[in-house]
Each structure stands twice: as C-alpha cells, then as structure tokens.
C-alpha cells in the first residue's frame, strides 16, 4: 500500500547547510534527537528528490524523534499506520539509500527544547497518519510530528519553518503523474502551494547540528 511510504511531504525550501560532525555512537543518542532516513519509496521519492534535498545535498524521505521512558530510549514516528513507538532495532533495520541515516541534535543554545519536544511526542501516539499532508487537521506525517513537538516546546513559536509545497516537476511545471494518481485515489485536490515541510528541509535547519551515526557499536 503506497500510503505506508508517505512519511514525507514535498516543498521547495532553501536553508543554509550544516556540516556533518564526527559520527555518534548509537548508544549516545539523546531524547529529542531527530533521525533522518533515506528510505526508498520508489517513484514518490524520485519526485520528491527532484524538487528538494536535505543537508549537504542528501535525500531524506523520513524523520523521527528519539524519546525516553524510564531508562529506555526508543523512536516515536509517524508512518502509514499512524504515530507509533518503534524500537531502535526496528528503526535502524530499514533499508536506506545513499543518504543513509543522520542525526539532528539541537545546538547548545537551544538544547533545552529537545527533552521538552520528546515528551510532547507522547501525546501524539495513536494519532492517524496524515495522507493528504494538511498541517491543520489532527493527523500527522513524519516531519509534521517534528514540527508540532518542537513548536510546543518553544512556547508555540516555530522552530522548523513551513513553506509552500509543490508537487510539480520543475522541468515541465506539470504535476508529477505519481502525485496525480495518488490524490485522485484519495479523491482529494492536490494541495499545491499549501504550507508544509519535509525531512530534507528540516535537516537543513539552523537550529540543528548534524551527525553521522555509527550503527556498529
């Protein structure tokens, strides 16, 4: 089912790039860290990658937040079945492309937001997945979940910015056929120009330090 892959949203956004730092050991992840993954979703990701990219030009189709309960860390993410808790083992078992998995960690001056955002994520568990990428409904796609948890942590002030989404091929200025078919199936008008955000745009945020991750230790 194609909806499984839509933890993504398309937009054209421009942020300043953040250089990657030395790799983090997976055991050193912290609550509030944001994980960016280049998960292959076929033609949908091809269309997305053509109009947006992540930090250092890498492609990301999914993002999630690290949360903590007691002494245990795990992932909270919005996927096709809704907003769920996921173990590290299951999250990092996903097959990724050249972009792999990177970690976004709030810079020191904003670090107090991270644990607050992680705790906020719990209230979204069980919410439905946002198939139509509407920032105003009570459903959530992956980067929308990150947006809302950090906005709430920052006294309802945006941390990650919303930009107009586009579903058009920049070479032709026509809608990508894959999006036409997708929204036709949902009987929903293509939300061209509506506000949203995607994992690649979030990864370029000036609020984040970006790290590679060492999965072997």
């Amino acid at each position: 089912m194609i909806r499984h892959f839509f933890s993504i949203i398309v937009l054209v956004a421009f942020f300043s790039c953040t250089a990657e730092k030395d790799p983090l050991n997976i055991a050193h992840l912290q609550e509030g860290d944001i994980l960016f993954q280049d998960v292959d979703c076929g033609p949908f990701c091809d269309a997305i990658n053509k109009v947006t990219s992540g930090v250092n030009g890498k492609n990301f189709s999914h993002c999630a937040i690290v949360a903590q309960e007691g002494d245990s860390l795990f992932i909270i993410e919005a996927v096709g079945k809704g907003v769920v808790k996921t173990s590290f083992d299951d999250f990092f078992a996903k097959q990724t492309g050249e972009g792999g998995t990177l970690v976004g960690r709030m810079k020191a001056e904003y670090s107090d937001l991270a644990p607050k955002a992680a705790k906020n994520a719990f209230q979204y568990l069980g919410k439905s997945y946002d198939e139509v990428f509407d920032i105003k409904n009570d459903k959530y796609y992956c980067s929308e979940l990150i947006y809302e948890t950090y906005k709430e942590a920052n006294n309802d002030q945006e941390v990650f910015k919303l930009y107009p989404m586009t579903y058009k091929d920049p070479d032709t200025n026509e809608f990508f056929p894959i999006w036409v078919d997708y929204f036709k199936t949902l009987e929903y008008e293509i939300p061209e120009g509506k506000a949203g955000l995607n994992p690649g745009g979030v990864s370029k945020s000036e609020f984040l330090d970006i790290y590679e991750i060492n999965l072997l230790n």
Side-chain angles (χ1 to χ4, degrees), residues 2-155:
I2 57 176
R3 61 188 284 183
H4 175 74
F5 297 110
F6 291 143
S7 42
I8 47 180
I9 196 155
V10 187
L11 68 148
V12 177
F14 299 94
F15 294 89
S16 58
C17 256
T18 305
E20 292 169 39
K21 297 180 178 292
D22 291 338
L24 279 177
N25 187 308
I26 190 172
H28 295 158
L29 289 175
Q30 300 174 0
E31 60 177 339
D33 283 347
I34 302 168
L35 301 178
F36 299 96
Q37 282 188 325
D38 176 18
V39 180
D40 183 16
C41 57
F44 294 97
C45 283
D46 293 339
I48 291 161
N49 293 342
K50 195 168 183 180
V51 298
T52 190
S53 64
V55 64
N56 297 337
K58 293 187 176 182
N59 296 320
F60 299 110
S61 56
H62 186 53
C63 59
I65 189 168
V66 177
Q68 183 170 351
E69 198 167 42
D71 295 329
S72 299
L73 291 177
F74 51 87
I75 309 299
I76 295 181
E77 58 181 341
V79 293
K81 58 186 176 183
V83 181
V84 297
K85 292 170 63 174
T86 304
S87 70
F88 278 14
D89 285 347
D90 287 345
F91 187 84
F92 289 109
K94 297 175 186 176
Q95 186 171 358
T96 58
E98 292 182 359
T101 300
L102 294 182
V103 180
R105 177 169 292 174
M106 299 302 289
K107 291 182 177 179
E109 57 266 43
Y110 312 117
S111 61
D112 62 312
L113 297 179
K116 296 177 184 177
K119 289 177 174 58
N120 291 338
F122 283 89
Q123 67 185 299
Y124 295 94
L125 287 172
K127 295 287 188 180
S128 298
Y129 185 74
D130 189 356
E131 292 179 311
V132 297
F133 314 129
D134 182 351
I135 201 73
K136 295 182 179 180
N137 63 15
D138 192 28
K139 300 180 179 181
Y140 301 89
Y141 55 87
C142 67
S143 45
E144 183 180 11
L145 177 66
I146 303 302
Y147 171 83
E148 295 292 353
T149 56
Y150 268 94
K151 181 181 177 184
E152 185 175 351
N154 196 34
N155 297 317

